Amino acid sequence: MDGVKQLTRPTGSASDRVMAFRFWTERQLTIHVDGPDGGREFRLGKPYARIGRHGRCEVPLEGEAIPRIGVYLHATEDGIFYVDLASSVRGGASSSGGLDANQNLELGDYRIRATYREGPSPRTDIATPLDEKNGIALPAPVIYVLVEGTQQASVRLARRLTVVGRRRPSTLRLKSEFISATHCIFYWQDERLWIIDLLSSNGTEKRGRRFDVERLRLRRMIKLGDVQLGFARTAANPVSDSATGQSDIPGNQGDLFDLHPPDPVAVGLSDSGESQLSSESSLTSHGDLRDGTSAITREMDAIAEMQQQLERERVAWESERTEQHKQLDARFQELDQHFAEIQSWRA
């Protein structure tokens, strides 16, 4: 291709390179970028792309007007979906939708197009947009929000693709100074939940280690800043049949849910600004479980199991660290012996 540099970007994390799990699709992306420095083509070995000024973006761009991460691209078997993440920087309305192979997205002075690396061109008539509310397939995942091991809320996701962060365009908003404006993506498909980090400042962690993309299995937890999110269970009934986002906490009948965090800045939960009768996700405060004693028991059992799993992972990590220290000590002793031998030869 004349005048276009072709680049094959390595995947961003060890988990990507090792492919310890399969992505939600085998589709991979090719990104075409036209800008002040000419044309570039990025051939990626993954079905998603983060585009922005951050050096670890799959498609890094330069310029003061470019945000750290401005666009997220997400490939499925049905097509390529984009989310404008820069609205939180610009202060304007966000946009999202299916991306035509010939359609340009504009980010600063750059024009961006995306297609599959192989196979037919992506469809643009995606039947249900990935971020359409109540477009999620049932059963839907229920996420527990915990601070310092204490449950603050349960959230039933209402969208196949949910942006999690501190402010819009995040559709699941967690108020914490340690959580980025757009922190990560939750993606639900075929009753499996994937997490994609949006190059957040404090990272998204699983078992104490940061990751770029992971599948979160049932009864497992991740950490965003000072907030833990646990994939507790699934719910088969639609969102409209459960809690509507209303809260019985005094002074908390609007869109912002004060969840009584241990720290005043620790956590608050918000929807995307819709009315309280059509909130972004199914929200239930810790003291407002609607299903009676059996539901409370299930909630408590799930929390206890997640806490036990967290403790097992902590013990395993401590054991691994101890073993690594032993191996390092043994290696240092070997090096000391070699050094002593070299010194004796010189003498």
Side-chain angles (χ1 to χ4, degrees), residues 267-283:
V267 66
L269 194 63
S270 169
D271 69 6
S272 60
E274 299 168 339
S275 70
Q276 60 180 343
L277 293 179
S278 59
S279 62
E280 170 57 31
S281 302
S282 171
L283 305 175

Side-chain angles (χ1 to χ4, degrees), residues 164-304:
V164 181
R166 194 176 65 252
R167 61 173 181 261
R168 298 177 186 175
S170 301
T171 48
L172 174 55
R173 302 211 303 274
L174 302 171
K175 185 180 178 183
S176 167
E177 61 181 347
F178 301 105
I179 291 179
S180 297
T182 52
H183 198 104
C184 67
I185 296 283
F186 279 8
Y187 180 61
W188 179 251
Q189 179 177 298
D190 298 330
E191 298 188 24
R192 296 179 179 181
L193 183 63
W194 280 271
I195 316 295
I196 304 98
D197 181 64
L198 293 176
L199 300 174
S200 53
S201 297
N202 290 310
T204 304
E205 297 182 1
K206 181 181 177 182
R207 299 181 180 177
R209 298 177 181 175
R210 292 191 179 191
F211 64 84
D212 281 343
V213 57
E214 284 280 358
R215 178 185 165 193
L216 186 62
R217 299 181 184 275
L218 190 64
R219 303 295 174 86
R220 294 296 186 266
M221 303 179 71
I222 59 172
K223 186 177 181 182
L224 283 62
D226 56 349
V227 178
Q228 292 175 312
L229 302 180
F231 179 13
R233 57 186 175 87
T234 57
N237 54 322
V239 171
S240 59
D241 290 340
S242 66
T244 61
Q246 298 182 14
S247 173
D248 58 356
I249 300 173
N252 194 34
Q253 298 299 324
D255 290 330
L256 182 63
F257 292 81
D258 180 4
L259 302 174
H260 296 292
D263 186 314
V265 299
V267 66
L269 194 63
S270 169
D271 69 6
S272 60
E274 299 168 339
S275 70
Q276 60 180 343
L277 293 179
S278 59
S279 62
E280 170 57 31
S281 302
S282 171
L283 305 175
T284 307
S285 70
H286 187 51
D288 187 30
L289 301 175
R290 306 289 181 90
D291 298 330
T293 304
S294 60
I296 294 175
T297 301
R298 290 196 303 271
E299 302 266 345
M300 293 178 64
D301 289 344
I303 293 172

Side-chain angles (χ1 to χ4, degrees), residues 310-327:
L310 191 63
E311 177 62 18
R312 287 194 293 269
E313 292 175 356
R314 185 193 67 79
V315 172
W317 180 80
E318 290 284 355
S319 176
E320 180 181 354
R321 186 177 65 170
T322 300
E323 182 62 28
Q324 289 176 346
H325 280 309
K326 290 180 180 179
Q327 293 176 1

Side-chain angles (χ1 to χ4, degrees), residues 141-179:
V142 176
I143 307 298
Y144 287 172
V145 182
L146 303 97
V147 177
E148 297 184 356
T150 301
Q151 182 190 359
Q152 302 297 318
S154 60
V155 183
R156 180 165 39 194
L157 299 184
R159 307 183 182 219
R160 290 173 62 192
L161 188 147
T162 302
V163 182
V164 181
R166 194 176 65 252
R167 61 173 181 261
R168 298 177 186 175
S170 301
T171 48
L172 174 55
R173 302 211 303 274
L174 302 171
K175 185 180 178 183
S176 167
E177 61 181 347
F178 301 105
I179 291 179

Side-chain angles (χ1 to χ4, degrees), residues 120-140:
S121 298
R123 294 168 46 191
T124 57
D125 57 338
I126 299 178
T128 303
L130 299 185
D131 63 349
E132 179 176 304
K133 189 183 175 188
N134 295 334
I136 196 167
L138 299 177

